[in-house]
Amino acid sequence: MASTLGSSTSTPAPTPAPTSTAALTKTAAQSILTTLNTGSGIDIGTLVPALVQAQFAAKNAALTAKTNTLTAQISATSTLKSTIANFSTALANLSAGGTLQTQPVSSSSAIGVSAIPGSKVGQLSSSISVDALATAQGSRSVKIDDRTATIATGKMTLTLGTAKYSSDGSAMTDFTAKGGSGSTFSIDVTNGSLDGIASAINGAKAGVTATVITDVDGKSVLSLKGTTGTTQAFTLKADDAGSALNQLNVGINTGTLTSTAANAELTVDGVAVQRASNTITDLVPGVKMQLNATTPDPVSLTSTRPTSALSQAVGDFVDTYNQVFASVKSLTDPVNGDLKNDTAASALMRSLQSLTTKGLLSADGSGAPTTLAQLGVATNRDGTLKVDTPTLNRVLADYPDQVEAMFAGTSSNALGLASTMAGISLTTSSSIYGLGASADRYTKAQKDVATQQDQVDLQSDAMNKRLTQQFSTMNSKVSAYKSTQTFLENQIKAWNKDS
């Protein structure tokens, strides 16, 4: 019976795909031997991929391993950068929030007080009386029937200076210009309506605000409001004496005033002073005062220390540090860490380990602590931190200003904990020598591996095509040989039968 090499009479059961190069080669060879011995034909669709896979198995495995390692390293650098940045930001917010800074306290709501960030309030004790609040000059124009109707166009001049007023404050009796730059402003009125004039005045940015106010009768006035302080009085005058804009003039015996320009008058610890604003930051060191009302009696300013908040902050810092340290330690583990050979990650670990002994305050010779270790933050054998509560309490009691400066930071101390941690974060994220540079390096290496994988895939495809062609050619020749063999066998049988 004639048979053709390449036909198949049965389908072998599938076997698990081998993974090693040796196993793949053995499987391919066994496929050839089995097919030739049985004469059922070579299964090219199975044999060729097996041979190709065997040829490139080692390269593919190595490239896959490299890709997985680089992916893990890129992820690890991102994790560490984010962790350190978040830690630094949290410390910065805590430092700037004011909760760790001694706060001033006022005995009356007439004077609101708050600590100026970065300043030392210390043992505050001051007595302040408010005799007069700072006021700003205000004026209103005559009533205009239609705020959108054109009054006139042209130029007006607004001048700042010092004024004297009538006893009831409704009129200006004298005015002295400041002189120099920034005291005279030319206003170009191109839209002559009341709204347009107000817009032109506001556009001059002279410290005088213009508003159009409409009354119940539908008529409107131009309301002007200056800045508080004696030297912030103002006049407004049309340059053209014949212009209708003159009805909006404000000056000596011109226009109606709604308030006058005056300084705040205070008595601070027995000394009479004046300020141009009701917000004052230069009278009591480290204290911002907001004058809300005059005071019939002196107001006492004292301070309260954030002892409990500082103690809590130390504990919170230690807890957060230990979480960050655990993450860095795991990723830099010399055996299993994804960043075990990364110099930037190792440098970060060293920076964290030295944090407790790093100077956070300039030594002043008083014996005050300058490091976290001296504050009572101790290091365990495994590198984590703990709080020595008795030491912390003693230091807080003896050196409250110095401890506060470590955590809250002041204008005279740039070495505080928040600044130090910000420096570590900046170094860690650096794209020149930090984890940013490491991430760039790993990303480039990953692209190189991807390029190598593409080349292997191209080589695999080429080998697949070549072997398929070779086996197909061989298959055709064997098939031809089989046909010849069958013909000869049949011919011999015929001869034997005839004889």
Side-chain angles (χ1 to χ4, degrees):
M1 179 178 179
S3 64
T4 304
L5 195 63
S7 63
S8 178
T9 57
S10 63
T11 303
T15 57
T19 56
S20 69
T21 302
L24 290 168
T25 303
K26 181 179 179 181
T27 300
Q30 186 62 40
S31 175
I32 294 175
L33 293 174
T34 300
T35 347
L36 290 176
N37 286 339
T38 59
S40 60
I42 297 177
D43 185 356
I44 299 175
T46 300
L47 175 61
V48 171
L51 290 174
V52 173
Q53 187 178 7
Q55 176 67 27
F56 294 98
K59 288 185 179 180
N60 283 325
L63 292 175
T64 298
K66 286 183 180 179
T67 297
N68 292 340
T69 298
L70 290 169
T71 298
Q73 289 173 325
I74 293 171
S75 175
T77 57
S78 177
T79 297
L80 281 191
K81 286 194 297 181
S82 176
T83 298
I84 298 301
N86 290 340
F87 190 17
S88 175
T89 300
L91 279 175
N93 291 339
L94 183 64
S95 174
T99 58
L100 303 182
Q101 184 179 4
T102 296
Q103 296 296 322
V105 179
S106 173
S107 64
S108 171
S109 59
I111 303 178
V113 293
S114 60
I116 298 174
S119 300
K120 290 183 179 180
V121 176
Q123 295 291 345
L124 177 62
S125 178
S126 189
S127 176
I128 298 178
S129 297
V130 181
D131 303 314
L133 293 176
T135 55
Q137 179 180 307
S139 68
R140 60 177 174 80
S141 69
V142 295
K143 288 188 176 184
I144 304 298
D145 292 335
D146 184 357
R147 62 187 291 171
T148 63
T150 298
I151 299 172
T153 58
K155 292 185 179 296
M156 302 185 77
T157 300
L158 189 150
T159 306
L160 301 180
T162 303
K164 292 182 180 180
Y165 303 97
S166 60
S167 58
D168 63 358
S170 62
M172 184 183 295
T173 59
D174 192 20
F175 181 82
T176 302
K178 279 184 180 182
S181 61
S183 62
T184 302
F185 301 84
S186 179
I187 300 170
D188 188 9
V189 178
T190 56
N191 178 351
S193 68
L194 208 56
D195 286 321
I197 295 169
S199 179
I201 293 173
N202 291 331
K205 301 184 184 303
V208 176
T209 302
T211 307
V212 178
I213 302 174
T214 301
D215 204 349
V216 67
D217 58 5
K219 295 183 178 182
S220 302
V221 299
L222 178 66
S223 173
L224 302 179
K225 191 74 171 182
T227 306
T228 61
T230 300
T231 62
Q232 296 300 311
F234 63 87
T235 62
L236 179 66
K237 183 180 180 181
D239 291 3
D240 182 358
S243 171
L245 291 174
N246 280 288
Q247 62 184 304
L248 304 177
N249 285 356
V250 178
I252 298 174
N253 298 319
T254 303
T256 301
L257 300 184
T258 55
S259 58
T260 59
N263 288 337
E265 299 178 5
L266 307 89
T267 302
V268 180
D269 294 328
V271 179
V273 295
Q274 294 187 15
R275 288 294 183 272
S277 172
N278 291 317
T279 301
I280 303 172
T281 59
D282 63 347
L283 276 180
V284 179
V287 178
K288 176 182 178 180
M289 295 190 299
Q290 180 62 49
L291 308 183
N292 300 317
T294 57
T295 58
D297 300 305
V299 175
S300 297
L301 299 188
T302 56
S303 61
T304 177
R305 291 194 179 278
T307 304
S308 297
L310 282 169
S311 180
Q312 180 66 41
V314 174
D316 290 344
F317 166 78
V318 168
D319 290 342
T320 305
Y321 174 94
N322 287 339
Q323 295 175 27
V324 172
F325 181 80
S327 178
V328 178
K329 185 177 181 180
S330 173
L331 292 173
T332 57
D333 181 83
V335 178
N336 300 315
D338 291 327
L339 300 177
K340 58 187 176 183
N341 296 319
D342 190 282
T343 56
S346 298
L348 171 60
M349 173 61 86
R350 291 192 296 272
S351 295
L352 290 176
Q353 290 172 326
S354 66
L355 196 55
T356 58
T357 57
K358 185 176 181 61
L360 303 177
L361 193 67
S362 299
D364 57 7
S366 66
T370 59
T371 67
L372 290 174
Q374 294 171 343
L375 188 61
V377 179
T379 303
N380 297 314
R381 288 187 176 183
D382 62 357
T384 58
L385 303 182
K386 65 180 179 180
V387 179
D388 182 346
T389 303
T391 299
L392 175 61
N393 292 339
R394 175 181 57 79
V395 173
L396 280 171
D398 295 343
Y399 305 101
D401 285 338
Q402 288 83 348
V403 176
E404 186 176 317
M406 280 188 188
F407 279 84
T410 66
S411 56
S412 61
N413 175 42
L415 304 176
L417 183 58
S419 296
T420 299
M421 198 64 219
I424 293 176
S425 177
L426 184 63
T427 300
T428 298
S429 62
S430 171
S431 59
I432 300 176
Y433 46 76
L435 287 175
S438 297
D440 291 343
R441 186 171 64 254
Y442 297 142
T443 300
K444 182 180 182 302
Q446 194 176 54
K447 290 180 180 178
D448 291 342
V449 172
T451 299
Q452 295 175 38
Q453 184 65 65
D454 290 341
Q455 292 174 347
V456 170
D457 290 342
L458 289 174
Q459 293 171 0
S460 298
D461 290 342
M463 184 177 180
N464 194 311
K465 292 177 181 178
R466 186 178 69 254
L467 291 180
T468 298
Q469 183 177 6
Q470 289 175 348
F471 280 111
S472 295
T473 300
M474 181 188 69
N475 196 32
S476 298
K477 291 181 178 181
V478 171
S479 178
Y481 296 153
K482 282 287 187 178
S483 297
T484 301
Q485 179 185 8
T486 301
F487 170 77
L488 292 175
E489 288 177 350
N490 291 335
Q491 188 63 43
I492 292 171
K493 289 178 181 180
W495 290 341
N496 291 335
K497 184 177 180 180
D498 292 341
S499 61

